[in-house]
Amino acid sequence: MELTDIQRKFVLHWGEMGSMWGVNRTVSQIHALLFAHGKPMHAEELSDTLGVARSNVSNSLKELQAWNLVRVTHILGDRRDYFETSVDVWELFRTVVRERKEREFDPTIRVLREIVSSPDFQKEPADAQDRIRSTMDLMSKLATWADEMLRLSPGTLDKVLTLGASVQKFVRGDAAPAPTPAAPRKDGDDPDAHHASLPMI
């Protein structure tokens, strides 16, 4: 498969970003290619398109399957395994959040709770205890928030994030000021003069 310039740029950049997030470059590139292409591809095609070894592709696909980001599918009349990913960005976002929470957040929270509940914890300096408790509290709240977000449908999650952006602007004071009420009309005033200053609905 020959990549377009746009596809090549997308795949290469996604590979670079994957490395920054601690994900193997080839793993990220394969996922980006499947997402950009939008159709199932077999391992040989992935290998030829990306110019990487077949064994590297095989190992990368196994990792993507472990993350639930890639699934196996088949094409009638073709015995080879084909691989595809969701083309819904919200579904991918939810999958990544869920997998990272289960792999990273949940184990860390369990360890922090064990530390805090240990009798030896009380022997630590008070300021150190406060820092550890604060870390556990923050991570627990973020984990709870993530669980709530994962229960939402993609459409509802989109609305929540959009609403959240509006709320943040309001809290920061970026929201447009409320229109100034029109002064009471005096006798002889043109009634349309005040209407002209009202906001359009």
Side-chain angles (χ1 to χ4, degrees), residues 78-121:
D78 193 333
R79 299 180 62 182
R80 292 174 296 187
D81 287 340
Y82 281 73
F83 301 88
E84 63 181 358
T85 187
S86 173
V87 293
D88 184 335
V89 292
W90 288 108
E91 181 181 340
L92 291 176
F93 170 76
R94 285 154 55 91
T95 299
V96 171
V97 170
R98 181 175 58 252
E99 292 293 330
R100 283 202 171 275
K101 177 181 176 298
E102 292 178 356
R103 294 163 182 254
E104 300 167 13
F105 261 60
D106 292 349
T108 302
I109 292 172
R110 285 196 294 269
V111 170
L112 288 172
R113 286 174 177 167
E114 290 175 5
I115 290 174
V116 171
S117 63
S118 170
D120 293 335
F121 182 69

Side-chain angles (χ1 to χ4, degrees), residues 147-166:
D147 284 335
E148 292 300 323
M149 292 300 101
L150 289 172
R151 292 190 182 98
L152 302 178
S153 67
T156 303
L157 182 57
D158 187 14
K159 293 177 182 178
V160 168
L161 292 179
T162 301
L163 177 62
S166 300

Side-chain angles (χ1 to χ4, degrees), residues 6 12 23 25 37 74 81 91 100 116 139 169:
I6 294 297
L12 288 174
V23 180
R25 184 185 301 271
H37 185 51
H74 296 94
D81 287 340
E91 181 181 340
R100 283 202 171 275
V116 171
M139 295 196 69
K169 290 181 181 179

Side-chain angles (χ1 to χ4, degrees), residues 16-30:
E16 294 170 1
M17 290 304 299
S19 298
M20 295 180 183
W21 296 334
V23 180
N24 178 277
R25 184 185 301 271
T26 303
V27 171
S28 300
Q29 288 182 347
I30 288 175

Side-chain angles (χ1 to χ4, degrees), residues 131-143:
R131 287 193 293 271
I132 293 175
R133 284 197 183 96
S134 296
T135 302
M136 182 182 69
D137 183 55
L138 173 61
M139 295 196 69
S140 296
K141 288 178 179 177
L142 289 173

